[in-house]
Amino acid sequence: MEEEGKINLYKCTFPINLKHATVAVIGFVLPFGPGFPIGELQCRWAAQVLTGKCSLPSKDKMIKDINDRFMHNITRYAPNEKMSIRVDYIKYCDDIASQSGAKPNFLKLFLTDPKLFFHLIF
């Protein structure tokens, strides 16, 4: 799972070396923001993947995502052994929520339920 200081978990949750998504690592992130909402989103996403309601991308895409996040973190933060699990809170939450289908569609809400839209925005 670890090579050359990188921890190879797709979105800090799923090991990439397994043939099928049968294991999820929850809460193994170093966020700039609160950790509990991230863990809750990871649980939702893992439940969706493990029940087959959503799927993971190909191994090549997962490896590219891991490498991109690692390189981004190297250019942004001081070097340390936790580079591959460091995430930006809002971007990471949006990404995980999009993966699991939990991110609201604000344009659709604006058109179908303006009151809820304004409650979510403000």
Side-chain angles (χ1 to χ4, degrees):
M1 206 151 79
E2 182 179 352
E3 70 180 46
E4 300 173 17
K6 274 195 290 189
I7 299 168
N8 292 322
L9 291 173
Y10 176 63
K11 304 288 185 194
C12 299
T13 307
F14 288 100
I16 60 169
N17 56 349
L18 298 177
K19 186 174 181 179
H20 302 287
T22 55
V23 174
V25 180
I26 305 298
F28 193 58
V29 293
L30 184 60
F32 284 106
F36 288 117
I38 287 177
E40 189 259 338
L41 281 171
Q42 285 179 324
C43 287
R44 284 181 182 221
W45 182 38
Q48 295 288 324
V49 171
L50 294 174
T51 58
K53 294 182 179 175
C54 73
S55 61
L56 297 175
S58 68
K59 187 173 181 176
D60 292 335
K61 288 183 181 180
M62 291 191 289
I63 290 171
K64 182 180 180 333
D65 182 82
I66 292 167
N67 291 335
D68 289 348
R69 185 178 62 252
F70 187 78
M71 295 309 291
H72 173 74
N73 287 345
I74 283 177
T75 61
R76 188 169 176 195
Y77 307 112
N80 67 36
E81 66 278 357
K82 298 174 183 155
M83 281 296 174
S84 56
I85 59 171
R86 192 174 292 272
V87 295
D88 293 322
Y89 174 74
I90 292 180
K91 183 179 180 214
Y92 184 77
C93 284
D94 280 349
D95 195 18
I96 296 297
S98 296
Q99 295 269 343
S100 65
K103 185 176 179 182
N105 182 343
F106 287 108
L107 179 60
K108 182 179 176 184
L109 285 175
F110 177 73
L111 297 173
T112 59
D113 193 349
K115 187 175 180 181
L116 177 60
F117 170 80
F118 285 109
H119 276 48
L120 290 173
I121 296 297
F122 301 111

